[in-house]
Amino acid sequence: MERDLAASTQAYATAAEEIAHLQRLLEKAIQNALLVLEHRHPSIAQLLLESIGDRPRAARWMCMHQRALGGKSACEALADGDEDAVWELVAGLGGVEAGSGSIRTPMAY
């Protein structure tokens, strides 16, 4: 019985270590997504950071699936070459009309 408990405890410890390792890898990949955006599309990155407010949240947004992008993340859309769709979505976050340079005021209903 004690041997089963020790084996079970070790199995959970191993699983917990693997999960922690994968979480660190995921966090690094999420942060890299924002770095790539800043390098490849600096104007979108700047607007995203201004709209979201901080780097960690902006990086996570880059990796979230967006209904407006057909269920893709901004990273996936950019990988598919759909820069315009990402630009429009990011511009909408900050109340900026894409391509116009004008500020939109969100309507409250």
Side-chain angles (χ1 to χ4, degrees), residues 8-74:
S8 179
T9 300
Q10 182 58 42
Y12 282 119
T14 300
E17 288 173 15
E18 289 174 355
I19 291 168
H21 176 70
L22 291 172
Q23 286 175 325
R24 287 188 300 273
L25 289 175
L26 177 60
E27 192 59 37
K28 185 176 180 178
I30 289 170
Q31 296 304 318
N32 284 343
L34 183 59
L35 292 173
V36 170
L37 182 70
E38 288 175 318
H39 180 72
R40 302 280 182 196
H41 303 285
S43 58
I44 295 175
Q46 180 180 358
L47 184 57
L48 179 62
L49 287 166
E50 290 171 4
S51 299
I52 299 280
D54 64 55
R55 293 184 65 77
R57 286 182 59 216
R60 289 194 192 300
W61 183 91
M62 285 289 303
C63 300
M64 289 174 40
H65 294 269
Q66 304 290 335
R67 191 175 315 151
L69 297 174
K72 296 178 185 179
S73 68

Short mmCIF file of all heavy atoms in Angstrom, two decimals, residues 8-74:
data_model
loop_
_atom_site.label_atom_id
_atom_site.label_comp_id
_atom_site.label_asym_id
_atom_site.label_seq_id
_atom_site.Cartn_x
_atom_site.Cartn_y
_atom_site.Cartn_z
N SER A 8 2.22 6.80 -6.70
CA SER A 8 1.20 7.78 -7.08
C SER A 8 1.70 9.20 -6.83
O SER A 8 1.54 10.09 -7.67
CB SER A 8 -0.08 7.52 -6.29
OG SER A 8 -1.07 8.47 -6.62
N THR A 9 2.32 9.40 -5.69
CA THR A 9 2.86 10.72 -5.34
C THR A 9 3.91 11.14 -6.36
O THR A 9 3.93 12.28 -6.82
CB THR A 9 3.45 10.70 -3.92
OG1 THR A 9 2.42 10.34 -3.00
CG2 THR A 9 4.02 12.04 -3.54
N GLN A 10 4.80 10.20 -6.72
CA GLN A 10 5.84 10.49 -7.70
C GLN A 10 5.23 10.80 -9.07
O GLN A 10 5.69 11.70 -9.77
CB GLN A 10 6.84 9.34 -7.81
CG GLN A 10 7.97 9.61 -8.78
CD GLN A 10 8.76 10.85 -8.44
OE1 GLN A 10 9.09 11.10 -7.28
NE2 GLN A 10 9.07 11.66 -9.44
N ALA A 11 4.19 10.08 -9.45
CA ALA A 11 3.54 10.32 -10.74
C ALA A 11 2.95 11.72 -10.78
O ALA A 11 3.07 12.42 -11.79
CB ALA A 11 2.46 9.27 -11.00
N TYR A 12 2.32 12.14 -9.68
CA TYR A 12 1.76 13.50 -9.64
C TYR A 12 2.87 14.55 -9.65
O TYR A 12 2.73 15.59 -10.30
CB TYR A 12 0.88 13.69 -8.40
CG TYR A 12 -0.48 13.08 -8.55
CD1 TYR A 12 -0.90 12.07 -7.69
CD2 TYR A 12 -1.35 13.50 -9.54
CE1 TYR A 12 -2.16 11.49 -7.82
CE2 TYR A 12 -2.61 12.93 -9.68
CZ TYR A 12 -3.00 11.94 -8.82
OH TYR A 12 -4.24 11.38 -8.95
N ALA A 13 3.96 14.27 -8.96
CA ALA A 13 5.08 15.22 -8.95
C ALA A 13 5.66 15.37 -10.35
O ALA A 13 5.96 16.49 -10.78
CB ALA A 13 6.15 14.75 -7.96
N THR A 14 5.80 14.26 -11.05
CA THR A 14 6.31 14.30 -12.43
C THR A 14 5.35 15.09 -13.33
O THR A 14 5.79 15.93 -14.12
CB THR A 14 6.51 12.87 -12.96
OG1 THR A 14 7.45 12.20 -12.12
CG2 THR A 14 7.01 12.89 -14.40
N ALA A 15 4.07 14.83 -13.21
CA ALA A 15 3.08 15.55 -14.02
C ALA A 15 3.12 17.04 -13.71
O ALA A 15 3.07 17.88 -14.62
CB ALA A 15 1.68 14.99 -13.77
N ALA A 16 3.23 17.40 -12.43
CA ALA A 16 3.28 18.81 -12.04
C ALA A 16 4.52 19.49 -12.62
O ALA A 16 4.45 20.64 -13.09
CB ALA A 16 3.27 18.93 -10.52
N GLU A 17 5.65 18.80 -12.62
CA GLU A 17 6.88 19.36 -13.19
C GLU A 17 6.73 19.57 -14.70
O GLU A 17 7.16 20.60 -15.23
CB GLU A 17 8.06 18.42 -12.92
CG GLU A 17 8.51 18.42 -11.48
CD GLU A 17 9.57 17.35 -11.20
OE1 GLU A 17 10.16 16.81 -12.18
OE2 GLU A 17 9.81 17.07 -10.02
N GLU A 18 6.12 18.61 -15.38
CA GLU A 18 5.92 18.73 -16.82
C GLU A 18 5.00 19.90 -17.14
O GLU A 18 5.24 20.66 -18.08
CB GLU A 18 5.34 17.43 -17.39
CG GLU A 18 6.33 16.29 -17.42
CD GLU A 18 5.70 14.97 -17.85
OE1 GLU A 18 4.47 14.90 -18.04
OE2 GLU A 18 6.47 14.00 -18.00
N ILE A 19 3.93 20.04 -16.37
CA ILE A 19 2.99 21.14 -16.59
C ILE A 19 3.68 22.48 -16.35
O ILE A 19 3.52 23.43 -17.14
CB ILE A 19 1.74 20.98 -15.70
CG1 ILE A 19 0.93 19.78 -16.21
CG2 ILE A 19 0.91 22.26 -15.67
CD1 ILE A 19 -0.17 19.34 -15.26
N ALA A 20 4.46 22.59 -15.28
CA ALA A 20 5.18 23.83 -15.00
C ALA A 20 6.15 24.17 -16.13
O ALA A 20 6.25 25.33 -16.54
CB ALA A 20 5.92 23.72 -13.67
N HIS A 21 6.83 23.15 -16.65
CA HIS A 21 7.75 23.36 -17.77
C HIS A 21 7.00 23.86 -19.00
O HIS A 21 7.43 24.82 -19.66
CB HIS A 21 8.49 22.06 -18.08
CG HIS A 21 9.40 22.14 -19.27
ND1 HIS A 21 10.56 22.88 -19.27
CD2 HIS A 21 9.29 21.61 -20.50
CE1 HIS A 21 11.14 22.79 -20.45
NE2 HIS A 21 10.39 22.02 -21.22
N LEU A 22 5.87 23.23 -19.32
CA LEU A 22 5.08 23.65 -20.48
C LEU A 22 4.52 25.06 -20.29
O LEU A 22 4.47 25.83 -21.25
CB LEU A 22 3.95 22.66 -20.74
CG LEU A 22 4.40 21.29 -21.23
CD1 LEU A 22 3.22 20.31 -21.28
CD2 LEU A 22 5.06 21.40 -22.59
N GLN A 23 4.14 25.41 -19.08
CA GLN A 23 3.64 26.77 -18.82
C GLN A 23 4.74 27.80 -19.05
O GLN A 23 4.48 28.87 -19.61
CB GLN A 23 3.08 26.89 -17.41
CG GLN A 23 1.75 26.21 -17.25
CD GLN A 23 1.24 26.22 -15.82
OE1 GLN A 23 2.00 26.14 -14.87
NE2 GLN A 23 -0.08 26.31 -15.69
N ARG A 24 5.97 27.48 -18.65
CA ARG A 24 7.09 28.40 -18.90
C ARG A 24 7.34 28.55 -20.39
O ARG A 24 7.57 29.66 -20.87
CB ARG A 24 8.35 27.93 -18.17
CG ARG A 24 8.30 28.12 -16.66
CD ARG A 24 9.65 27.83 -16.02
NE ARG A 24 10.12 26.47 -16.24
CZ ARG A 24 9.82 25.42 -15.46
NH1 ARG A 24 9.05 25.58 -14.41
NH2 ARG A 24 10.33 24.23 -15.74
N LEU A 25 7.29 27.44 -21.12
CA LEU A 25 7.47 27.50 -22.58
C LEU A 25 6.36 28.32 -23.24
O LEU A 25 6.63 29.12 -24.14
CB LEU A 25 7.51 26.10 -23.18
CG LEU A 25 8.75 25.26 -22.90
CD1 LEU A 25 8.56 23.85 -23.45
CD2 LEU A 25 9.99 25.91 -23.48
N LEU A 26 5.13 28.10 -22.82
CA LEU A 26 4.00 28.85 -23.37
C LEU A 26 4.16 30.34 -23.09
O LEU A 26 3.96 31.17 -23.99
CB LEU A 26 2.68 28.33 -22.81
CG LEU A 26 1.43 29.07 -23.24
CD1 LEU A 26 1.25 29.02 -24.75
CD2 LEU A 26 0.20 28.49 -22.53
N GLU A 27 4.52 30.69 -21.88
CA GLU A 27 4.69 32.10 -21.53
C GLU A 27 5.79 32.74 -22.39
O GLU A 27 5.63 33.87 -22.86
CB GLU A 27 5.02 32.24 -20.04
CG GLU A 27 4.92 33.64 -19.53
CD GLU A 27 3.55 34.28 -19.71
OE1 GLU A 27 2.52 33.59 -19.58
OE2 GLU A 27 3.50 35.49 -20.01
N LYS A 28 6.86 32.01 -22.61
CA LYS A 28 7.94 32.54 -23.46
C LYS A 28 7.45 32.73 -24.89
O LYS A 28 7.74 33.75 -25.53
CB LYS A 28 9.14 31.59 -23.43
CG LYS A 28 10.33 32.11 -24.19
CD LYS A 28 11.53 31.20 -24.05
CE LYS A 28 12.70 31.78 -24.83
NZ LYS A 28 13.89 30.96 -24.70
N ALA A 29 6.69 31.77 -25.41
CA ALA A 29 6.16 31.88 -26.78
C ALA A 29 5.20 33.07 -26.89
O ALA A 29 5.21 33.79 -27.89
CB ALA A 29 5.45 30.59 -27.18
N ILE A 30 4.39 33.28 -25.87
CA ILE A 30 3.45 34.41 -25.87
C ILE A 30 4.21 35.73 -25.90
O ILE A 30 3.88 36.64 -26.67
CB ILE A 30 2.49 34.32 -24.67
CG1 ILE A 30 1.51 33.16 -24.86
CG2 ILE A 30 1.76 35.63 -24.44
CD1 ILE A 30 0.68 32.83 -23.62
N GLN A 31 5.24 35.84 -25.08
CA GLN A 31 6.04 37.07 -25.06
C GLN A 31 6.77 37.26 -26.39
O GLN A 31 6.89 38.38 -26.88
CB GLN A 31 7.04 37.04 -23.90
CG GLN A 31 6.38 37.04 -22.53
CD GLN A 31 5.43 38.18 -22.31
OE1 GLN A 31 5.70 39.34 -22.67
NE2 GLN A 31 4.28 37.89 -21.72
N ASN A 32 7.23 36.18 -26.99
CA ASN A 32 7.90 36.27 -28.30
C ASN A 32 6.96 36.75 -29.38
O ASN A 32 7.38 37.43 -30.32
CB ASN A 32 8.52 34.92 -28.68
CG ASN A 32 9.79 34.63 -27.92
OD1 ASN A 32 10.41 35.52 -27.35
ND2 ASN A 32 10.16 33.36 -27.90
N ALA A 33 5.68 36.41 -29.27
CA ALA A 33 4.71 36.86 -30.27
C ALA A 33 4.67 38.39 -30.32
O ALA A 33 4.62 38.98 -31.41
CB ALA A 33 3.32 36.31 -29.95
N LEU A 34 4.70 39.03 -29.17
CA LEU A 34 4.69 40.49 -29.14
C LEU A 34 6.00 41.06 -29.68
O LEU A 34 6.00 42.05 -30.42
CB LEU A 34 4.43 41.01 -27.73
CG LEU A 34 4.31 42.52 -27.60
CD1 LEU A 34 3.19 43.09 -28.47
CD2 LEU A 34 4.10 42.91 -26.14
N LEU A 35 7.11 40.41 -29.37
CA LEU A 35 8.40 40.87 -29.90
C LEU A 35 8.43 40.80 -31.42
O LEU A 35 8.92 41.72 -32.09
CB LEU A 35 9.55 40.05 -29.30
CG LEU A 35 9.81 40.25 -27.82
CD1 LEU A 35 10.86 39.25 -27.33
CD2 LEU A 35 10.22 41.67 -27.52
N VAL A 36 7.90 39.73 -31.98
CA VAL A 36 7.84 39.59 -33.44
C VAL A 36 6.94 40.67 -34.02
O VAL A 36 7.28 41.29 -35.04
CB VAL A 36 7.35 38.18 -33.84
CG1 VAL A 36 7.05 38.10 -35.33
CG2 VAL A 36 8.38 37.13 -33.44
N LEU A 37 5.80 40.92 -33.39
CA LEU A 37 4.90 41.98 -33.86
C LEU A 37 5.62 43.32 -33.85
O LEU A 37 5.53 44.09 -34.82
CB LEU A 37 3.64 42.05 -33.00
CG LEU A 37 2.62 43.09 -33.44
CD1 LEU A 37 1.97 42.70 -34.77
CD2 LEU A 37 1.56 43.29 -32.36
N GLU A 38 6.34 43.62 -32.79
CA GLU A 38 7.06 44.89 -32.71
C GLU A 38 8.12 45.00 -33.80
O GLU A 38 8.35 46.10 -34.32
CB GLU A 38 7.72 45.04 -31.33
CG GLU A 38 6.72 45.29 -30.22
CD GLU A 38 7.35 45.31 -28.85
OE1 GLU A 38 8.22 44.46 -28.57
OE2 GLU A 38 6.96 46.19 -28.06
N HIS A 39 8.73 43.91 -34.14
CA HIS A 39 9.77 43.92 -35.17
C HIS A 39 9.18 44.00 -36.58
O HIS A 39 9.67 44.76 -37.42
CB HIS A 39 10.64 42.66 -35.04
CG HIS A 39 11.73 42.58 -36.04
ND1 HIS A 39 12.85 43.39 -36.00
CD2 HIS A 39 11.88 41.79 -37.12
CE1 HIS A 39 13.63 43.10 -37.02
NE2 HIS A 39 13.08 42.13 -37.72
N ARG A 40 8.13 43.22 -36.85
CA ARG A 40 7.57 43.11 -38.20
C ARG A 40 6.51 44.16 -38.52
O ARG A 40 6.37 44.57 -39.67
CB ARG A 40 6.96 41.73 -38.40
CG ARG A 40 7.89 40.59 -38.21
CD ARG A 40 8.74 40.40 -39.43
NE ARG A 40 9.61 39.25 -39.23
CZ ARG A 40 10.65 39.00 -39.97
NH1 ARG A 40 10.94 39.78 -40.97
NH2 ARG A 40 11.40 37.96 -39.73
N HIS A 41 5.73 44.54 -37.51
CA HIS A 41 4.62 45.49 -37.71
C HIS A 41 4.60 46.49 -36.56
O HIS A 41 3.69 46.48 -35.72
CB HIS A 41 3.28 44.74 -37.78
CG HIS A 41 3.23 43.69 -38.83
ND1 HIS A 41 3.10 43.98 -40.17
CD2 HIS A 41 3.31 42.34 -38.76
CE1 HIS A 41 3.09 42.86 -40.87
NE2 HIS A 41 3.23 41.85 -40.04
N PRO A 42 5.59 47.39 -36.52
CA PRO A 42 5.71 48.29 -35.37
C PRO A 42 4.50 49.20 -35.16
O PRO A 42 4.15 49.49 -34.00
CB PRO A 42 6.97 49.10 -35.66
CG PRO A 42 7.34 48.83 -37.07
CD PRO A 42 6.66 47.56 -37.49
N SER A 43 3.83 49.61 -36.21
CA SER A 43 2.67 50.50 -36.02
C SER A 43 1.50 49.75 -35.37
O SER A 43 0.82 50.30 -34.51
CB SER A 43 2.24 51.13 -37.34
OG SER A 43 1.91 50.12 -38.29
N ILE A 44 1.30 48.50 -35.75
CA ILE A 44 0.25 47.70 -35.11
C ILE A 44 0.63 47.45 -33.66
O ILE A 44 -0.22 47.57 -32.76
CB ILE A 44 0.02 46.36 -35.85
CG1 ILE A 44 -0.50 46.60 -37.26
CG2 ILE A 44 -0.95 45.48 -35.07
CD1 ILE A 44 -0.64 45.34 -38.10
N ALA A 45 1.89 47.14 -33.41
CA ALA A 45 2.35 46.87 -32.04
C ALA A 45 2.16 48.09 -31.15
O ALA A 45 1.69 47.97 -30.02
CB ALA A 45 3.81 46.44 -32.05
N GLN A 46 2.51 49.25 -31.65
CA GLN A 46 2.38 50.47 -30.87
C GLN A 46 0.91 50.73 -30.53
O GLN A 46 0.58 51.04 -29.38
CB GLN A 46 2.96 51.67 -31.62
CG GLN A 46 2.84 52.97 -30.85
CD GLN A 46 3.43 54.14 -31.61
OE1 GLN A 46 3.95 54.00 -32.71
NE2 GLN A 46 3.33 55.32 -31.03
N LEU A 47 0.03 50.60 -31.50
CA LEU A 47 -1.39 50.82 -31.26
C LEU A 47 -1.94 49.78 -30.29
O LEU A 47 -2.73 50.10 -29.40
CB LEU A 47 -2.17 50.79 -32.57
CG LEU A 47 -3.66 51.10 -32.48
CD1 LEU A 47 -3.90 52.47 -31.84
CD2 LEU A 47 -4.29 51.05 -33.86
N LEU A 48 -1.51 48.53 -30.43
CA LEU A 48 -1.96 47.48 -29.52
C LEU A 48 -1.53 47.79 -28.09
O LEU A 48 -2.35 47.70 -27.16
CB LEU A 48 -1.40 46.12 -29.95
CG LEU A 48 -1.77 44.93 -29.05
CD1 LEU A 48 -3.28 44.71 -29.02
CD2 LEU A 48 -1.05 43.68 -29.51
N LEU A 49 -0.29 48.18 -27.90
CA LEU A 49 0.20 48.50 -26.56
C LEU A 49 -0.55 49.70 -25.97
O LEU A 49 -0.88 49.71 -24.79
CB LEU A 49 1.70 48.76 -26.58
CG LEU A 49 2.55 47.51 -26.76
CD1 LEU A 49 3.99 47.87 -27.11
CD2 LEU A 49 2.48 46.63 -25.53
N GLU A 50 -0.82 50.69 -26.80
CA GLU A 50 -1.58 51.86 -26.32
C GLU A 50 -3.01 51.47 -25.97
O GLU A 50 -3.56 51.97 -25.00
CB GLU A 50 -1.59 52.96 -27.39
CG GLU A 50 -0.25 53.62 -27.58
CD GLU A 50 -0.22 54.56 -28.78
OE1 GLU A 50 -1.27 54.78 -29.43
OE2 GLU A 50 0.87 55.08 -29.09
N SER A 51 -3.60 50.58 -26.74
CA SER A 51 -4.98 50.18 -26.52
C SER A 51 -5.15 49.26 -25.32
O SER A 51 -6.09 49.40 -24.55
CB SER A 51 -5.54 49.47 -27.76
OG SER A 51 -5.50 50.32 -28.87
N ILE A 52 -4.24 48.31 -25.18
CA ILE A 52 -4.33 47.31 -24.12
C ILE A 52 -3.77 47.85 -22.81
O ILE A 52 -4.29 47.57 -21.75
CB ILE A 52 -3.60 46.00 -24.53
CG1 ILE A 52 -4.21 45.40 -25.78
CG2 ILE A 52 -3.56 45.00 -23.39
CD1 ILE A 52 -5.46 44.61 -25.60
N GLY A 53 -2.68 48.58 -22.89
CA GLY A 53 -2.16 49.22 -21.70
C GLY A 53 -0.88 48.63 -21.13
O GLY A 53 -0.11 49.34 -20.51
N ASP A 54 -0.64 47.34 -21.30
CA ASP A 54 0.63 46.80 -20.82
C ASP A 54 1.08 45.61 -21.68
O ASP A 54 0.28 45.01 -22.38
CB ASP A 54 0.57 46.41 -19.34
CG ASP A 54 -0.42 45.30 -19.02
OD1 ASP A 54 -0.32 44.22 -19.64
OD2 ASP A 54 -1.26 45.50 -18.14
N ARG A 55 2.37 45.34 -21.60
CA ARG A 55 2.97 44.33 -22.46
C ARG A 55 2.43 42.92 -22.23
O ARG A 55 2.11 42.23 -23.19
CB ARG A 55 4.49 44.34 -22.31
CG ARG A 55 5.13 45.62 -22.82
CD ARG A 55 6.64 45.55 -22.74
NE ARG A 55 7.18 44.53 -23.62
CZ ARG A 55 7.30 44.66 -24.95
NH1 ARG A 55 6.96 45.79 -25.53
NH2 ARG A 55 7.79 43.69 -25.67
N PRO A 56 2.32 42.45 -20.98
CA PRO A 56 1.83 41.08 -20.79
C PRO A 56 0.42 40.86 -21.35
O PRO A 56 0.15 39.85 -21.99
CB PRO A 56 1.87 40.88 -19.27
CG PRO A 56 2.89 41.86 -18.79
CD PRO A 56 2.78 43.04 -19.71
N ARG A 57 -0.46 41.82 -21.12
CA ARG A 57 -1.83 41.69 -21.64
C ARG A 57 -1.85 41.77 -23.16
O ARG A 57 -2.60 41.05 -23.83
CB ARG A 57 -2.73 42.75 -21.02
CG ARG A 57 -3.08 42.46 -19.58
CD ARG A 57 -4.03 43.47 -18.97
NE ARG A 57 -5.27 43.52 -19.72
CZ ARG A 57 -5.98 44.62 -19.92
NH1 ARG A 57 -5.57 45.76 -19.42
NH2 ARG A 57 -7.08 44.59 -20.59
N ALA A 58 -1.04 42.65 -23.73
CA ALA A 58 -0.98 42.77 -25.19
C ALA A 58 -0.44 41.48 -25.81
O ALA A 58 -0.96 41.01 -26.83
CB ALA A 58 -0.10 43.96 -25.58
N ALA A 59 0.57 40.90 -25.19
CA ALA A 59 1.13 39.65 -25.70
C ALA A 59 0.08 38.54 -25.64
O ALA A 59 -0.06 37.77 -26.59
CB ALA A 59 2.37 39.26 -24.89
N ARG A 60 -0.66 38.46 -24.56
CA ARG A 60 -1.71 37.44 -24.46
C ARG A 60 -2.80 37.68 -25.50
O ARG A 60 -3.31 36.73 -26.08
CB ARG A 60 -2.30 37.44 -23.06
CG ARG A 60 -1.37 36.89 -22.01
CD ARG A 60 -2.08 36.60 -20.72
NE ARG A 60 -1.22 36.34 -19.61
CZ ARG A 60 -0.32 35.38 -19.53
NH1 ARG A 60 -0.16 34.58 -20.55
NH2 ARG A 60 0.42 35.21 -18.48
N TRP A 61 -3.15 38.93 -25.73
CA TRP A 61 -4.17 39.25 -26.73
C TRP A 61 -3.74 38.74 -28.10
O TRP A 61 -4.55 38.22 -28.86
CB TRP A 61 -4.44 40.75 -26.78
CG TRP A 61 -5.51 41.11 -27.74
CD1 TRP A 61 -6.84 41.22 -27.47
CD2 TRP A 61 -5.36 41.36 -29.15
NE1 TRP A 61 -7.53 41.53 -28.62
CE2 TRP A 61 -6.65 41.62 -29.67
CE3 TRP A 61 -4.28 41.39 -30.01
CZ2 TRP A 61 -6.86 41.91 -31.01
CZ3 TRP A 61 -4.49 41.68 -31.34
CH2 TRP A 61 -5.78 41.93 -31.83
N MET A 62 -2.44 38.87 -28.41
CA MET A 62 -1.93 38.41 -29.70
C MET A 62 -2.20 36.93 -29.94
O MET A 62 -2.31 36.50 -31.07
CB MET A 62 -0.40 38.61 -29.77
CG MET A 62 0.04 40.02 -29.98
SD MET A 62 -0.33 40.57 -31.64
CE MET A 62 0.53 39.38 -32.63
N CYS A 63 -2.30 36.16 -28.86
CA CYS A 63 -2.43 34.70 -28.97
C CYS A 63 -3.85 34.21 -28.73
O CYS A 63 -4.11 33.01 -28.84
CB CYS A 63 -1.46 34.04 -27.99
SG CYS A 63 0.26 34.49 -28.32
N MET A 64 -4.76 35.11 -28.38
CA MET A 64 -6.15 34.72 -28.14
C MET A 64 -6.89 34.57 -29.46
O MET A 64 -6.68 35.35 -30.39
CB MET A 64 -6.87 35.79 -27.31
CG MET A 64 -6.42 35.86 -25.88
SD MET A 64 -7.15 37.24 -24.95
CE MET A 64 -8.82 37.28 -25.51
N HIS A 65 -7.76 33.59 -29.53
CA HIS A 65 -8.59 33.40 -30.72
C HIS A 65 -9.63 34.52 -30.75
O HIS A 65 -10.25 34.83 -29.74
CB HIS A 65 -9.25 32.03 -30.69
CG HIS A 65 -8.24 30.94 -30.80
ND1 HIS A 65 -7.85 30.41 -32.01
CD2 HIS A 65 -7.49 30.31 -29.85
CE1 HIS A 65 -6.93 29.49 -31.80
NE2 HIS A 65 -6.68 29.41 -30.50
N GLN A 66 -9.78 35.13 -31.92
CA GLN A 66 -10.68 36.27 -32.09
C GLN A 66 -11.79 35.91 -33.07
O GLN A 66 -11.50 35.47 -34.19
CB GLN A 66 -9.89 37.48 -32.64
CG GLN A 66 -8.70 37.88 -31.81
CD GLN A 66 -9.08 38.49 -30.49
OE1 GLN A 66 -10.17 39.05 -30.32
NE2 GLN A 66 -8.19 38.41 -29.52
N ARG A 67 -13.01 36.11 -32.65
CA ARG A 67 -14.15 35.84 -33.53
C ARG A 67 -14.05 36.67 -34.80
O ARG A 67 -14.33 36.19 -35.90
CB ARG A 67 -15.46 36.16 -32.80
CG ARG A 67 -16.68 35.67 -33.53
CD ARG A 67 -17.94 35.89 -32.73
NE ARG A 67 -17.74 35.47 -31.35
CZ ARG A 67 -18.38 35.99 -30.32
NH1 ARG A 67 -19.25 36.94 -30.49
NH2 ARG A 67 -18.14 35.57 -29.09
N ALA A 68 -13.60 37.91 -34.67
CA ALA A 68 -13.49 38.81 -35.83
C ALA A 68 -12.44 38.34 -36.84
O ALA A 68 -12.45 38.79 -37.99
CB ALA A 68 -13.16 40.22 -35.36
N LEU A 69 -11.57 37.45 -36.42
CA LEU A 69 -10.56 36.91 -37.33
C LEU A 69 -10.90 35.48 -37.73
O LEU A 69 -10.02 34.69 -38.08
CB LEU A 69 -9.17 36.95 -36.67
CG LEU A 69 -8.62 38.34 -36.33
CD1 LEU A 69 -7.32 38.22 -35.55
CD2 LEU A 69 -8.43 39.16 -37.60
N GLY A 70 -12.15 35.14 -37.66
CA GLY A 70 -12.59 33.80 -38.04
C GLY A 70 -12.13 32.73 -37.08
O GLY A 70 -11.92 31.59 -37.49
N GLY A 71 -11.95 33.09 -35.82
CA GLY A 71 -11.51 32.13 -34.82
C GLY A 71 -10.00 32.00 -34.71
O GLY A 71 -9.50 31.25 -33.89
N LYS A 72 -9.28 32.75 -35.52
CA LYS A 72 -7.81 32.71 -35.46
C LYS A 72 -7.32 33.72 -34.43
O LYS A 72 -8.01 34.68 -34.09
CB LYS A 72 -7.21 33.10 -36.81
CG LYS A 72 -7.51 32.16 -37.94
CD LYS A 72 -6.88 32.69 -39.21
CE LYS A 72 -7.26 31.85 -40.40
NZ LYS A 72 -6.67 32.39 -41.63
N SER A 73 -6.09 33.52 -33.99
CA SER A 73 -5.43 34.53 -33.18
C SER A 73 -4.81 35.56 -34.13
O SER A 73 -4.69 35.31 -35.34
CB SER A 73 -4.33 33.90 -32.33
OG SER A 73 -3.26 33.45 -33.15
N ALA A 74 -4.41 36.69 -33.59
CA ALA A 74 -3.73 37.70 -34.41
C ALA A 74 -2.45 37.12 -34.99
O ALA A 74 -2.10 37.39 -36.14
CB ALA A 74 -3.45 38.95 -33.59
#
